[in-house]
Amino acid sequence: IPSSDEDFTQEFTEDLYSIMGTLRYLLFEPPPTQAIQQTIEKLDMGNLSFDLPKLQIRAIGRMTNEGFMILEKSEASAHAASSLQGGYRKLRDQLINEGVLSVGEKLRFEKNHTFDSPSAAATIVAGNPKNGNICWKDVSGKTLKELETSKL
């Protein structure tokens, strides 16, 4: 590729990633290579957890190019608080109807699902509004916000 076209090609590729992620086509995101059960039992670098100890709920997720992905077999609260309004309540119901979340004593992710933001993912897991930047933590206890700040 001529050097004059390299910038255009790079910009086109970045736009393609963004558009495909927005449309929820995960073409550029490789499937998880580790067994999901091993991922839940032992967090590796890049995975973040959100725990609700009183409800004995744990969700595992990670940032991707398309958004925030919650991994299969993660758990979510079966109870939706009255503060869960509008779009989040509809999204939660949609995920149940589509079979992404199975209903039981706790909700359970039957497959990986990518959300637009860490806060959307945390809100669905908790059943009430949450700030994903402080809810999702790595194995050492650092929040997503702290991890992103340290990369700057």
Side-chain angles (χ1 to χ4, degrees):
I1 298 175
S3 61
S4 61
D5 291 340
E6 281 185 40
D7 290 337
F8 173 77
T9 304
Q10 181 68 26
E11 186 177 323
F12 176 77
T13 304
E14 290 172 5
D15 289 344
L16 187 60
Y17 282 130
S18 177
I19 291 168
M20 296 307 281
T22 301
L23 296 174
R24 296 190 190 263
Y25 289 103
L26 305 179
L27 301 174
F28 302 110
E29 185 64 34
T33 56
Q34 297 179 339
I36 299 301
Q37 190 59 35
Q38 290 174 345
T39 303
I40 290 176
E41 290 173 2
K42 181 179 179 184
L43 293 173
D44 66 354
M45 293 301 288
N47 285 344
L48 303 167
S49 69
F50 177 29
D51 295 310
L52 297 168
K54 290 181 182 177
L55 300 175
Q56 297 180 340
I57 289 175
R58 169 174 256 191
I60 307 295
R62 69 170 58 133
M63 289 299 298
T64 68
N65 290 336
E66 285 81 21
F68 192 88
M69 179 190 297
I70 294 185
L71 302 180
E72 176 182 12
K73 297 187 181 176
S74 291
E75 301 165 331
S77 175
H79 173 71
S82 60
S83 58
L84 188 67
Q85 298 288 324
Y88 285 129
R89 187 171 289 277
K90 287 179 186 176
L91 176 59
R92 186 175 185 274
D93 293 341
Q94 178 185 349
L95 293 174
I96 292 170
N97 291 336
E98 291 175 356
V100 174
L101 286 171
S102 62
V103 180
E105 188 176 307
K106 308 174 201 177
L107 297 179
R108 178 181 161 110
F109 282 83
E110 295 300 325
K111 57 185 173 183
N112 296 347
H113 185 77
T114 302
F115 292 87
D116 294 335
S117 70
S119 293
T123 296
I124 296 301
V125 169
N128 57 59
K130 293 289 181 188
N131 179 344
N133 289 320
I134 59 174
C135 291
W136 294 102
K137 298 179 181 179
D138 71 0
V139 71
S140 68
K142 288 186 178 179
T143 66
L144 179 58
K145 182 177 183 176
E146 291 171 332
L147 294 169
E148 289 177 343
T149 302
S150 68
K151 286 184 182 180
L152 296 176

